[in-house]
Structures are given as C-alpha cells and as structure tokens.
Amino acid sequence: MKKQILTLTLALSLALLAACGGGGSSSGNTSGSGSQPDTSVTEPDQSTPDGSGDSSTPDASEPDSSAPDASQPVEDEPQAEASLSLSKSDFTLFTAGATWQLKASATPAGGALTWTSSDESVATVSDNGTVTAVAVGTATITAKDASTGLTASCTVRCNWEEKAPDNGGSSSSGGSSTGDTSTGGSSSSTGSVDLQAFFDTINADYEMPFMMEMDSAALDSYFPGLTGLSTQQLVAYSCSLNPSPAGDVVLVQLANSSDVSTVKALFQDRIDYMTGADGNMPGAWYPGPTEMWLNSSRIVSNGNYVMLVVNENCDAIVDAFNGLF
C-alpha cells in the first residue's frame, strides 16, 4: 500500500514539473510573437548637429562676402585739376585814369597772385588787379599763381580820341552847362557838368525802366561811407524791379580829388556784393541780373567826377560820360 502511495506521489510531482516547464515555454513564445504593441519610446537625439547640411549656417572656412575685402585696393578720389581764370578776358577803358578791377579765380585757392602789364605806358595794374588806363593803346594784363605756376591773361584796350583844347565853350554831349555852383554845377576848364541832367538824358536814351532815386538810407546801405564824403554833386538811382533789368547809376562830383579812390572802392564793393565775388551769396539773386552786374558794370572817373553804371548799354553810357569833359 505504501509503495502505491509513493508511486502516485512521484507521478503527481512529475506531472506538476511538466506543467511548470510548459508554461514557461508558452510565455516565451507569446512575447516573441509580435502581437503585443511596442510600448518603448524613442528619445530624440540630443547630440549637437555638425551643420554640414545646413545652408543657413555660414561656414567659417569660407570668406564672408558681406564684408569688404581689405585685400582689394581702394581707389583714391579724383583730384580737381588746378586752374586759374580772370573775371574778364577783354575790356576797354575810355579815358586816361579810368580803372577796372580784375578778379581771379584759382583752384586750389590760396596761392599768392602776381599781376603784370605787358605795356605800362598803356595800362598799369596794381597788386589787387586794378587796371588803370594811361594812354591810347592795347596791353595784356597777366596774373600768375605762385602756388601752381598757372597764368591767366586779359586784354585791356585804352581807346579814346584826344580832344582839342576847349576855348571856354561848355560841353553839350549829354550834359548841360549851368555855371551856377549853388545848383550843383562845377566850373572846370571845359565848363560845368550837370550830373542830374546827364542822368536824365541817359535814362531817356537807354533802357532804364523803373529807376528810383536812392534816399540816404539806401545810400548808407549800398555805399557805406559815401554820404560822409564832401561832394558837390551826388546823383544815385537804382532799379525798383526784382529781378532787375537794369542796375545802379551813381554819379559823384567830389570836393577833394583825394577821395576819388575811396569812391571807386565803394563802387567796386557794391559790384562784388551783387555778383557774389566777395564770397557771399550774390545780392542780385537771379542769374540774369547777376550776369549783368558781372559783365555790364563800369566804374569810370574823370578828374573829381566818378560814375558807376550797370546796364547792358554801359559802354555807350561811358562814352557819353567821357564826352562831358
């Protein structure tokens, strides 16, 4: 009996062992069948990209085309050519002692200028370019720039007819004889000259529209110091239009011949202001009037008489003025 029980117990134990071994194999087959979803999570790659395929990241080995290449030579700014020119290339003086101041324009600026005349028996020139007529003839005025060695020249023509001595008759060329010093007339070897009558004549004969007589305020503004000089006659007119088709006409008879050069300088200052030659903006403002003041302005003198005229007929007016004496 005991032998049967032991045999039965041993059989049950073997059956249990066999059952345990078969369960392990079944479990292993289930995990490898792929029927269960893969619940593993793939983590992103946290490594630093090498940038070899990223076109947005510049490659330090390549040159940066956005920055200027210092190896390339930089071209210098072109330098302006040196030049020298004069405000006139040719002009005429119509009486002995008449003057005209030439202006030089130099590039680069700042060089000292030397002025010379080819014939000082015809015309002389001062250190500031003022040309003075001496005798009938033609001379060449030359300016030389000491810094560049450049020269510029202008022809001056001294052209007037020598008049026979006056035997006491009065002049009838554009003016009238008064003989009355209380009215501003002045006695001379050629009679007296009425400057107001002369202006009235040229104002009627030539194009001088809207001419207005200058008052003392205008004179002090345009010709500072002129009213302080001793004058026997002072006739001054300017055009009231803007832009102006005509310029100033100023006629002066001075009491002292020593003041002639002062009046000429005041007249030249007025021209320089209106043309911008003094370095300021042109007082004439518009191109036409500025050109008129530059090319059609004249300063002439005869004895104690001085005239400034700015008009397209300036040379004819100068002839008429010289005909007074």
Side-chain angles (χ1 to χ4, degrees):
M1 184 67 178
K2 289 183 181 180
K3 184 176 181 179
Q4 293 177 344
I5 293 170
L6 180 60
T7 301
L8 180 59
T9 301
L10 180 61
L12 289 171
S13 298
L14 289 173
L16 289 171
L17 286 173
C20 290
S25 174
S26 172
S27 174
N29 292 336
T30 303
S31 62
S33 64
S35 62
Q36 298 295 322
D38 185 2
T39 58
S40 64
V41 178
T42 302
E43 294 294 332
D45 186 2
Q46 301 296 325
S47 62
T48 303
D50 61 6
S52 61
D54 187 357
S55 61
S56 64
T57 304
D59 187 349
S61 65
E62 296 295 329
D64 183 2
S65 60
S66 64
D69 187 356
S71 65
Q72 297 296 323
V74 179
E75 294 185 3
D76 294 333
E77 290 286 338
Q79 299 295 320
E81 292 187 12
S83 64
L84 179 65
S85 60
L86 299 179
S87 56
K88 292 280 188 183
S89 60
D90 191 312
F91 67 95
T92 302
L93 296 175
F94 295 94
T95 185
T99 62
W100 180 264
Q101 186 175 17
L102 290 170
K103 296 289 186 178
S105 178
T107 302
L113 295 176
T114 302
W115 297 87
T116 56
S117 171
S118 64
D119 191 345
E120 293 192 346
S121 66
V122 173
T124 60
V125 61
S126 67
D127 291 340
N128 69 352
T130 299
V131 181
T132 303
V134 177
V136 173
T138 301
T140 300
I141 305 300
T142 301
K144 182 176 182 179
D145 190 322
S147 63
T148 63
L150 294 175
T151 61
S153 298
C154 171
T155 300
V156 55
R157 307 176 192 278
C158 299
N159 184 19
W160 61 88
E161 294 181 0
E162 297 294 338
K163 295 181 175 63
D166 194 331
N167 294 322
S170 62
S171 170
S172 60
S173 300
S176 63
S177 173
T178 63
D180 183 358
T181 58
S182 65
T183 63
S186 173
S187 298
S188 67
S189 61
T190 59
S192 59
V193 173
D194 186 338
L195 295 181
Q196 181 63 58
F198 174 69
F199 172 79
D200 292 341
T201 299
I202 62 174
N203 190 36
D205 291 345
Y206 301 100
E207 297 180 5
M208 295 185 181
F210 301 97
M211 297 299 286
M212 300 281 292
E213 187 173 7
M214 297 184 197
D215 59 17
S216 58
L219 284 169
D220 290 339
S221 176
Y222 297 162
F223 308 99
L226 179 60
T227 57
L229 300 176
S230 179
T231 60
Q232 293 177 304
Q233 295 184 80
L234 176 55
V235 177
Y237 286 81
S238 63
C239 184
S240 60
L241 288 182
N242 192 19
S244 172
D248 297 351
V249 177
V250 184
L251 300 150
V252 184
Q253 180 190 4
L254 294 160
N256 302 309
S257 59
S258 59
D259 290 330
V260 169
S261 60
T262 300
V263 172
K264 286 184 175 181
L266 290 174
F267 289 172
Q268 187 62 51
D269 288 344
R270 172 69 168 159
I271 294 173
D272 291 346
Y273 169 74
M274 296 300 285
T275 60
D278 60 357
N280 297 314
M281 185 176 292
W285 300 108
Y286 298 94
T290 300
E291 182 72 14
M292 176 183 63
W293 275 88
L294 182 64
N295 294 318
S296 299
S297 57
R298 299 289 185 269
I299 301 171
V300 293
S301 63
N302 195 309
N304 287 8
Y305 292 84
V306 189
M307 177 179 72
L308 165 66
V309 58
V310 184
N311 188 273
E312 62 180 7
N313 299 297
C314 57
D315 289 334
I317 295 171
V318 168
D319 284 342
F321 177 79
N322 290 330
L324 299 172
F325 306 97

